């Protein structure tokens, strides 16, 4: 990297929602790098564990889904594996948390975005404020998952009788199992929202598969972030503010 | 004396079980049509006032069920081991209690073990189809082939009875010797008891016998003598005659008013229905939204604007009043 690049990069501090690896490549269409390879692997490990946890957990949640234990090699295996997958999820999500927490801090435009949620749902993006790397909905998913995973690991350990039977009273175990079941329902709903949003907003899934989105996608959904990226592109003067 | 159960017949048909699959009243995590005719309910009556603490029953239980308890430590008390284990289905619990009225030290000895509840919390909590069954004679039995070792039964039981084996990871507890009862015998513990502190028969017989014992105890000055057949769990098929039936908890923590915990009821009841409904609703809402609103697509114009921004040609400014970003 040349000295000039370094200097221009240091002219302004990196905004919270610009993460390492985020960059714009001009072209037709413009390509925007949104997730590094490491972030994508981290994401898919988390996603896979969450899905396996939901399947194995739901098998025990209701008799009508007990047949799902077949996917894990039977009831005994399901019972034994589920908590270990939970441990994988916990550490894998911790990785995502460290990567993404800063970009998910609340911003002023989140309030406006939420107040205009009906425009969001109608896809009328022109009536919404310019958004950074994540909108308020994505931040809700992020913080929701973070909180619920802490609740799930804590309650999960309290009901993990194979290793932790002696550490809690039966009454505490009853609370834990109820909390765990409720938190599981909540996290599955958050997950449905998350997956649905990725399907509904076309061009999103590429962000987590190839790591890239098109410039148009970033312009439409995360314009503030795109402007910041163009501004921080090495060797390029930031455009004059639009006011 | 309660007429003892005669020794088994040696006739060849005597070993045919008298109840089985067709008599299942409840089956964990399954819907069953209850049998048209209910078997006569059986019960074991434990008369605490007659028990001499010899542990013959505890030994007979190990013997009949072919269990070997680990050699433990002497904790300076008669209770041994210190708690029920996957190998100890029944345990004599010893309590030294000073009667506040008489200032007398009373040695309370209670034979702990599964109560064979009419409304079993273990069965309610169990997620594995058929891991716990209740026969129409009242016996609650664990079926080890179906058990997944999750320990939910422990959370469901109001008496803290089931224990999970570290060897085969399935739950164990007193079976009320369902195998012996099926061929017309009483449980092994009852057979071994030298004082008739344990008797076995139909539930009605046991209640009648308890009545006689209670009258006797009352005549000897135990004004609060009574039968422990707790209504909170619909009654039990193991009952106690207690000399202080007004305070069951002095007998090594026998619950005064056992019932399935409201937490377990909420977990196994409303949480399941509401939970499934909410998840179904979320999925359906997503589907409907897609149908109504259609996909959210990036337009040609969006791409052109992005290209202009990246090239440095100023793209259109954001609409007035919407620029509120926390730009540094
Ligand atoms: C984060 C770490 C987690 C741990 C340590 C954990 C542990 C456990 C344990 C010990 C059980 C009892 C059954 C068994 O022993 O396998 C259980 C049940 C369950 N888990 Fe988890 N779990 C975790 C995460 C999750 C997640 C993320 C979900 C949902 C996606 C989930 C959903 C469930 C459900 C639905 C049940 C059944 C609850 C019921 O029977 O009502 N768990 N979990
Ligand atoms: S451990 Fe208890 S609750 Fe779990 S499957 Fe076995 S009998 Fe049922
Ligand atoms: S005492 Fe506990 S283990 Fe026995 S039947 Fe009642 S709930 Fe089940």
């Amino acid at each position: 990297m040349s000295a000039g690049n370094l200097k221009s990069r240091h002219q302004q501090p990196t905004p919270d929602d610009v993460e390492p690896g985020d960059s714009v490549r001009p072209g037709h269409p413009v390509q925007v790098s949104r997730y590094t390879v490491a972030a994508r692997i981290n994401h898919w490990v988390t996603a896979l564990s969450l899905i396996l946890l939901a399947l194995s957990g739901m098998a025990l949640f209701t008799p009508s889904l007990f047949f799902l234990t077949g996917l894990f090699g039977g009831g005994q295996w399901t019972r034994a594996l589920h908590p270990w997958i939970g441990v994988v999820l916990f550490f894998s999500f911790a990785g995502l948390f460290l990567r993404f927490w800063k970009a998910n801090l609340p911003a002023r435009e989140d309030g406006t975005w939420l107040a205009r949620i009906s425009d969001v749902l109608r896809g009328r993006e022109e009536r919404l404020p310019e958004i950074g790397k994540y909108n308020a909905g994505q931040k809700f998913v992020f913080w929701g998952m973070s909180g619920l995973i802490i609740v799930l690991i804590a309650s999960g350990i309290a009901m993990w009788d194979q290793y932790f039977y002696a550490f809690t009273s039966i009454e505490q175990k009853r609370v834990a199992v109820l909390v765990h079941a409720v938190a599981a329902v909540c996290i599955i709903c958050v997950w449905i929202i998350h997956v649905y949003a990725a399907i509904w907003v076309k061009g999103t899934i590429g962000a987590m598969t190839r790591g890239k989105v098109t410039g148009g996608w970033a312009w439409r959904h995360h314009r503030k972030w795109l402007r910041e990226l163009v501004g921080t592109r090495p060797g390029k003067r930031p455009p004059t503010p639009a006011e | 004396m309660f007429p003892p159960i005669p020794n088994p017949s040696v006739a060849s048909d005597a070993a045919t079980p008298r109840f089985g699959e067709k008599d299942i009243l409840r089956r964990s995590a399954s819907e069953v049509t209850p049998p048209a005719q209910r078997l006569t309910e059986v019960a074991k009556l434990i008369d605490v006032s007659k028990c001499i603490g010899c542990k013959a029953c505890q030994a007979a239980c190990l013997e009949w069920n072919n269990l070997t308890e680990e050699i433990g430590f002497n904790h300076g008390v008669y209770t041994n081991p210190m708690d029920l284990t996957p190998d100890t289905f029944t345990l004599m619990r010893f309590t030294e209690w000073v009667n506040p009225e008489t200032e007398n030290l009373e040695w309370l000895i209670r034979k702990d073990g599964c109560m064979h509840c009419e409304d079993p919390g273990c069965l309610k909590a169990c997620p594995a189809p058929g891991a716990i069954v209740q026969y129409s004679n009242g016996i609650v039995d664990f079926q080890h082939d179906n058990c997944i070792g999750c320990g939910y039964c422990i959370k469901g039981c109001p008496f803290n009875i089931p224990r999970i084996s570290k060897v085969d990871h399935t739950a164990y507890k007193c079976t009320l010797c369902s195998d012996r009862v099926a061929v017309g015998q009483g449980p092994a513990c009852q057979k071994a008891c030298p004082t008739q502190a344990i008797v076995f028969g139909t539930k009605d017989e046991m209640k009648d016998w308890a009545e006689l014992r209670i009258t006797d105890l009352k005549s000897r000055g135990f004004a609060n003598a009574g039968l422990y057949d707790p209504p909170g769990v619909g009654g039990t098929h193991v009952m106690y005659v207690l000399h202080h039936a007004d305070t069951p908890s002095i007998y090594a923590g026998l619950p005064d008013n056992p019932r399935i915990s409201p937490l377990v009821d909420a977990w196994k009841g409303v949480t399941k229905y509401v939970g499934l409904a909410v998840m179904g609703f979320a999925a359906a809402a997503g589907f409907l939204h897609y149908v109504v609103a259609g996909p959210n697509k990036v337009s040609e114009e969006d791409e052109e604007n992005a290209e202009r921004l990246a090239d440095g040609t100023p793209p259109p400014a954001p609409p007035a009043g919407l620029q509120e970003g926390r730009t540094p």
Side-chain angles (χ1 to χ4, degrees):
Chain A
M1 201 188 270
S2 76
N5 279 351
L6 264 179
K7 195 166 159 248
S8 72
R9 259 190 180 286
H10 284 246
Q11 267 164 2
Q12 50 176 322
T14 318
D16 278 350
D17 62 341
V18 172
E19 293 173 336
D22 292 357
S23 64
V24 179
R25 195 161 53 86
H28 187 75
V30 176
Q31 295 276 339
V32 185
S33 298
R34 196 163 157 89
Y35 294 112
T36 60
V37 181
R40 276 176 278 153
I41 293 173
N42 197 170
H43 173 267
W44 288 115
V45 170
T46 311
L48 183 70
S49 8
L50 188 72
I51 292 167
L52 292 177
L53 282 162
L55 290 173
S56 52
M58 289 322 288
L60 306 189
F61 182 70
T62 165
S64 53
L65 295 176
F66 189 79
F67 70 91
L68 291 172
T69 54
L71 296 173
F72 300 87
Q76 282 275 348
W77 277 104
T78 307
R79 182 265 311 153
L81 285 175
H82 175 95
W84 284 110
I85 307 173
V87 172
V88 173
L89 174 84
F90 178 78
F91 285 106
S92 176
F93 189 86
L96 288 184
F97 185 89
L98 293 177
R99 285 173 204 282
F100 299 157
W101 71 272
K102 223 170 163 196
N104 279 283
L105 291 174
R108 256 184 297 154
E109 61 271 18
D110 293 343
T112 323
W113 190 92
L114 281 174
R116 299 193 190 165
I117 192 76
S118 63
D119 289 322
V120 174
L121 290 173
R122 290 191 175 90
R124 291 200 210 131
E125 232 114 339
E126 63 286 356
R127 306 195 35 178
L128 301 173
E130 296 196 354
I131 299 293
K133 184 160 183 175
Y134 297 113
N135 63 37
Q138 291 163 307
K139 289 176 186 176
F140 166 78
V141 169
F142 176 84
W143 292 107
M145 292 269 183
S146 309
L148 287 167
I149 284 172
I150 293 194
V151 171
L152 283 162
I153 187 118
S155 57
I157 285 175
M159 56 199 282
W160 197 352
D161 288 354
Q162 193 170 351
Y163 306 109
F164 302 100
Y165 179 75
F167 296 92
T168 49
S169 71
I170 289 184
E171 192 65 7
Q172 288 165 336
K173 291 183 214 292
R174 289 180 185 140
V175 174
V177 77
L178 178 61
V179 166
H180 197 79
V182 171
V185 168
C186 294
I187 204 166
I188 291 172
C189 289
V190 172
W191 177 81
I192 291 173
I193 296 172
H194 175 66
V195 172
Y196 176 70
I199 296 172
W200 177 50
V201 181
K202 297 295 162 198
T204 305
I205 292 173
M208 266 306 164
T209 51
R210 284 161 293 114
K212 287 188 177 58
V213 290
T214 67
W217 184 93
W219 172 267
R220 184 176 170 84
H221 306 299
H222 300 279
R223 198 171 300 169
K224 184 178 139 204
W225 176 64
L226 182 67
R227 287 191 202 279
E228 286 160 358
L229 289 185
V230 171
T232 57
R233 196 145 55 86
K236 194 163 192 308
R237 218 180 51 80
T240 38
E243 278 103 319
Chain B
M1 185 169 119
F2 189 77
I5 298 166
N7 279 332
S9 147
V10 287
S12 57
D13 63 336
T16 340
R18 312 207 182 143
F19 68 89
E21 285 293 308
K22 62 178 195 319
D23 298 301
I24 287 175
L25 193 63
R26 287 197 181 90
R27 188 174 187 270
S28 58
S30 329
E31 300 284 340
V32 290
T33 6
Q37 220 183 339
R38 193 168 174 170
L39 298 167
T40 318
E41 286 180 59
V42 296
K44 176 164 80 183
L45 183 71
I46 302 169
D47 185 343
V48 167
S49 68
K50 275 187 146 193
C51 174
I52 54 169
C54 69
K55 302 191 189 179
C57 52
Q58 202 177 316
C61 180
L62 295 170
E63 185 77 13
W64 177 258
N65 293 299
N66 200 11
L67 304 164
T68 312
E69 188 51 80
E70 225 176 276
I71 296 177
F73 295 92
N74 186 337
H75 291 262
V77 293
Y78 277 83
T79 313
N80 176 28
M82 292 300 282
D83 195 6
L84 294 168
T85 73
D87 294 320
T88 293
F89 301 169
T90 192
L91 174 67
M92 304 313 293
R93 292 188 186 270
F94 295 76
T95 311
E96 287 162 24
W97 181 69
V98 179
N99 189 328
E101 281 164 31
T102 60
E103 302 270 309
N104 276 348
L105 179 80
E106 293 185 22
W107 207 22
L108 308 177
I109 310 167
R110 177 169 69 89
K111 178 184 181 294
D112 194 11
C114 175
M115 301 294 285
H116 296 270
C117 309
E118 179 61 19
D119 184 11
C122 56
L123 191 149
K124 179 165 202 169
C126 178
I132 305 180
V133 295
Q134 182 183 39
Y135 296 107
S136 68
N137 60 8
I139 295 181
V140 178
D141 216 356
F142 285 13
Q143 311 275 302
H144 294 268
D145 290 349
N146 296 331
C147 173
I148 65 169
C150 60
Y152 286 7
C153 46
I154 301 173
K155 297 152 187 86
C157 173
F159 295 95
N160 182 9
I161 300 299
R163 297 288 182 271
I164 309 282
S165 160
K166 290 275 176 210
V167 179
D168 70 356
H169 303 285
T170 66
Y172 285 89
K173 70 159 189 68
C174 155
T175 65
L176 205 65
C177 285
S178 53
D179 47 351
R180 292 173 59 91
V181 174
V183 296
Q185 286 294 293
C189 54
Q190 168 268 331
K191 183 101 179 168
C193 179
T195 64
Q196 278 211 337
I198 310 173
V199 285
F200 181 81
T202 71
K203 180 144 179 177
D204 290 337
E205 278 170 356
M206 290 302 106
K207 280 182 166 170
D208 293 345
W209 184 250
E211 220 30 72
L212 294 174
R213 287 294 309 139
I214 291 159
T215 320
D216 180 48
L217 283 167
K218 286 194 170 153
S219 76
R220 292 158 187 257
F222 290 103
N224 293 321
L227 179 68
Y228 186 82
D229 178 24
V233 292
T236 52
H237 296 87
V238 171
M239 302 183 292
Y240 291 107
V241 170
L242 304 175
H243 16 30
H244 306 289
D246 53 330
T247 48
S249 53
I250 61 172
Y251 297 89
L254 183 63
D256 288 328
N257 256 318
R259 53 165 294 195
I260 297 178
S261 160
L263 289 166
V264 173
D265 276 333
W267 164 42
K268 287 284 155 175
V270 66
T271 312
K272 306 278 130 144
Y273 303 118
V274 175
L276 289 172
V278 168
M279 289 184 286
F281 177 80
F287 183 76
L288 269 181
H289 180 259
Y290 201 86
V291 172
V292 174
N296 184 341
K297 285 199 190 109
V298 175
S299 66
E300 255 324 295
E301 200 190 336
D302 291 327
E303 295 294 357
E304 281 160 20
N305 282 332
E307 279 164 34
R308 267 187 281 165
L309 180 70
D311 291 346
T313 9
L322 284 174
Q323 175 71 329
E324 315 183 18
R326 198 177 55 160
T327 17

